[in-house]
Amino acid sequence: MAEAVFHPPRRKRRIFESYDSPFPVAVGGKDFRICRAEILNNNVIVRNPEDIELLYNKGYFGKGILSRSRPVYSISDPSLVAKWQGANLNMPIITSKKYQRHVQWAKSVLQEQGLDDCSVTKILDNYTKPVELPLLEEDRTEQTSNSWSRTDLNTELASQSSTETGNRVALSPDNQHEGFKKACLERSPQFDPVAICGSEEQKQGDLKEKAEVSCQKHGALVSCSCTAKEKTQQGLCEMIRSEGCVPEYVLVEEEVEGSLSPEDGSTHAEENLIKKEKLVCRKNPFRISEYLQLSLEEAFFLVYSLGCLSIYYGEEPLTILKLWEVFSEVKPHFKTTYMAYHYFRSKGWVPKVGLKYGTDLLLYRKGPPFYHASYSVIAELVDDSFEGSLRRPLCWKSLSGLNRTTANASKELMLCYLIRPSDMTDEEMSTPECMKRIKVQELIVSRWVSSRERSDQDEF
């Protein structure tokens, strides 16, 4: 058997980040943190933003469900953020068309719950009406019990002229030198938009709704509110957890018609009207949250090898043996793929799922942001004589096609054989301790070129 030649990994041209620790475990045990994940529809997801940042930045575990790889999805429109960059904003900015699409999604979900069209329309109209802007955290610390005078934003503001600055927030006499802040964000050529931005948290006393209706569908949270008089929907409100009832506030860019002062004496009214934009604070009826989805191999490695993750099913964390059993039922060949994952992770590689190339794993040096994948790996569990029931038996035709696909992507095809001792029983395989007796043999597949072989022989 010819010895494989190691080819250095191909480095990416543009790198926008620095290399951090390869594992989410602090050196010396300082600031050690156990992240939390949960099983949802046979998938392991992480919801906490701090845990998501920790697991992905240190080791590149998982991928964002709404992003290509790094979980950086934001509901905010980047073009609108750049357009309103002169405003002091700390809230997502979306277009009116995108907001209406969220309303339609919420409407379809509520209709699936058995509500009639009249009730659905009433709920959405009450929930998506303009609301007053939440206060900044620094503003909350400065205000006194009677220092703020706040007015609701309503639909009547849309008909105001361009000379009006909208409702203002009155500061206490001690803070009047800081000026007034606009509560209605209107875009006008005469001035830059200045706004009160707010966080997603708001005091319960500021909420006008008495109950909230939420449901979860395909990983998205739909929040809708109803009044206290609608007693028929109170049963649904009591089933929702308190953490799911926190509304998400967004700024919606809406167009309004403002009149210009006629200077040319034109008689056509349409010529004296222009369209301008303003930002209106509303509640998001259909919340889309970015989660980190871990593969079963990544999740078990974080639990078993690093001990920095706890996986919950409901309210109960699962033990290592239970996870080994559950993952083996969800994925019949989980033991084979995990042992290969564990082996390459321990060697310093960053394995990722190789489904898009028809293999089990892709091996990266340092991580996907720095290098392209070097190897596409197929894992097989065999006995001492390299025999056994293969997961995916390859004929010459399928092997040649797979090798050609891998070579076209500047990678090499690797067959990873996990050698199981002949005396190992199924009972030993029921625990992850079986990996102590497993041996690993790698085999790199390369295409034989007859002309190149002939030229090499002629030199001798």
Side-chain angles (χ1 to χ4, degrees):
M1 181 181 296
E3 183 179 358
V5 179
F6 175 77
H7 299 282
R10 190 160 59 97
R11 188 177 179 87
K12 291 189 174 181
R13 294 182 180 179
R14 297 180 180 179
I15 299 175
F16 302 97
E17 57 186 88
S18 59
Y19 182 67
D20 204 345
S21 173
F23 298 118
V25 178
V27 179
K30 297 180 180 179
D31 300 329
F32 179 75
R33 177 192 180 119
I34 298 180
C35 303
R36 172 171 177 150
E38 57 184 288
I39 298 179
L40 181 64
N41 297 330
N42 295 334
N43 296 313
V44 181
I45 62 173
V46 181
R47 300 177 183 268
N48 190 356
E50 297 180 359
D51 295 343
I52 292 175
E53 183 179 1
L54 176 65
L55 295 179
Y56 191 86
N57 291 345
K58 295 187 176 182
Y60 303 99
F61 293 92
K63 70 174 296 294
I65 62 172
L66 301 175
S67 308
R68 295 184 61 182
S69 181
R70 176 178 290 276
V72 293
Y73 174 82
S74 175
I75 187 179
S76 185
D77 192 342
S79 61
L80 292 182
V81 174
K83 180 179 179 181
W84 293 85
Q85 61 182 354
N88 183 21
L89 303 176
N90 192 26
M91 300 174 65
I93 308 177
I94 62 176
T95 61
S96 178
K97 183 178 180 180
K98 187 174 183 180
Y99 185 78
Q100 292 300 324
R101 185 160 59 247
H102 284 228
V103 174
Q104 292 297 326
W105 290 342
K107 182 178 180 180
S108 61
V109 173
L110 290 176
Q111 289 176 346
E112 292 179 359
Q113 297 179 0
L115 300 178
D116 54 9
D117 294 340
C118 182
S119 300
V120 171
T121 303
K122 187 175 182 180
I123 291 175
L124 291 178
D125 290 344
N126 187 34
Y127 192 82
T128 60
K129 62 184 180 181
V131 297
E132 57 187 20
L133 291 169
L135 296 178
L136 284 171
E137 293 297 331
E138 55 267 21
D139 293 338
R140 296 190 187 189
T141 59
E142 295 176 0
Q143 68 173 343
T144 57
S145 58
N146 297 321
S147 61
W148 290 101
S149 175
R150 294 166 33 165
T151 308
D152 295 339
L153 294 178
N154 47 49
T155 55
E156 296 178 357
L157 294 176
S159 60
Q160 292 182 352
S161 61
S162 60
T163 58
E164 295 180 355
T165 58
N167 295 340
R168 299 180 180 270
V169 180
L171 298 177
S172 59
D174 297 336
N175 298 330
Q176 287 183 357
H177 63 279
E178 298 181 2
F180 293 100
K181 293 183 178 180
K182 295 181 179 62
C184 177
L185 306 179
E186 296 188 359
R187 192 171 186 83
S188 177
Q190 286 80 11
F191 58 87
D192 292 333
V194 179
I196 300 175
C197 58
S199 61
E200 295 182 357
E201 299 179 355
Q202 188 179 15
K203 294 182 179 181
Q204 295 295 329
D206 296 337
L207 297 178
K208 297 179 180 181
E209 290 78 15
K210 301 299 181 180
E212 303 224 352
V213 178
S214 302
C215 66
Q216 187 172 355
K217 179 182 176 63
H218 302 298
L221 182 64
V222 183
S223 300
C224 302
S225 64
C226 56
T227 59
K229 297 180 181 180
E230 297 173 347
K231 298 181 179 180
T232 58
Q233 301 171 6
Q234 291 182 356
L236 293 175
C237 302
E238 297 176 355
M239 298 173 59
I240 305 304
R241 299 177 182 177
S242 59
E243 60 268 16
C245 296
V246 179
E248 179 184 22
Y249 295 95
V250 296
L251 295 175
V252 185
E253 185 186 56
E254 298 180 355
E255 291 185 353
V256 294
E257 292 184 353
S259 59
L260 289 177
S261 57
E263 297 178 355
D264 55 351
S266 177
T267 57
H268 299 283
E270 293 81 1
E271 297 179 358
N272 295 331
L273 295 178
I274 63 170
K275 290 184 178 180
K276 65 175 184 175
E277 299 85 10
K278 72 171 183 178
L279 296 181
V280 180
C281 182
R282 298 178 186 271
K283 294 179 182 178
N284 185 13
F286 194 94
R287 183 182 303 181
I288 301 179
S289 300
E290 176 76 291
Y291 300 145
L292 184 71
Q293 181 176 356
L294 301 172
S295 66
L296 300 183
E297 292 80 11
E298 291 173 329
F300 194 83
F301 183 84
L302 292 170
V303 175
Y304 174 70
S305 300
L306 302 183
C308 61
L309 181 69
S310 294
I311 301 178
Y312 286 75
Y313 183 74
E315 299 296 332
E316 179 183 0
L318 301 180
T319 62
I320 294 178
L321 294 180
K322 188 64 177 179
L323 287 174
W324 184 264
E325 178 184 355
V326 171
F327 289 170
S328 300
E329 294 179 359
V330 173
K331 189 176 182 179
H333 302 287
F334 165 76
K335 299 175 182 178
T336 302
T337 55
Y338 174 74
M339 287 188 286
Y341 180 92
H342 187 101
Y343 173 78
F344 289 113
R345 261 290 183 182
S346 302
K347 294 294 184 180
W349 294 95
V350 178
K352 304 296 288 185
V353 178
L355 183 62
K356 60 183 177 181
Y357 293 107
T359 58
D360 298 322
L361 298 173
L362 294 176
L363 300 185
Y364 293 86
R365 182 177 184 265
K366 286 188 176 180
F370 307 101
Y371 292 91
H372 295 278
S374 301
Y375 300 99
S376 297
V377 182
I378 294 179
E380 293 287 358
L381 182 63
V382 297
D383 55 13
D384 295 335
S385 58
F386 283 83
E387 295 181 355
S389 57
L390 300 180
R391 297 172 47 244
R392 45 188 305 175
L394 298 175
C395 62
W396 285 111
K397 184 177 181 180
S398 60
L399 181 60
S400 176
L402 185 60
N403 187 38
R404 176 66 65 89
T405 303
T406 304
N408 289 341
S410 301
K411 298 173 178 53
E412 292 186 274
L413 180 62
M414 178 188 296
L415 302 179
C416 178
Y417 290 101
L418 305 166
I419 305 174
R420 170 183 174 178
S422 56
D423 59 343
M424 179 176 288
T425 62
D426 294 338
E427 184 178 357
E428 294 183 65
M429 292 290 295
S430 61
T431 64
E433 296 296 321
C434 64
M435 290 187 293
K436 296 180 179 180
R437 301 185 60 190
I438 297 294
K439 298 180 180 180
V440 182
Q441 177 67 52
E442 305 104 325
L443 177 65
I444 296 179
V445 181
S446 60
R447 188 168 66 94
W448 179 72
V449 182
S450 59
S451 60
R452 187 185 306 170
E453 184 71 16
R454 233 181 1 255
S455 61
D456 293 342
Q457 291 180 358
D458 293 342
E459 294 179 359
F460 295 104

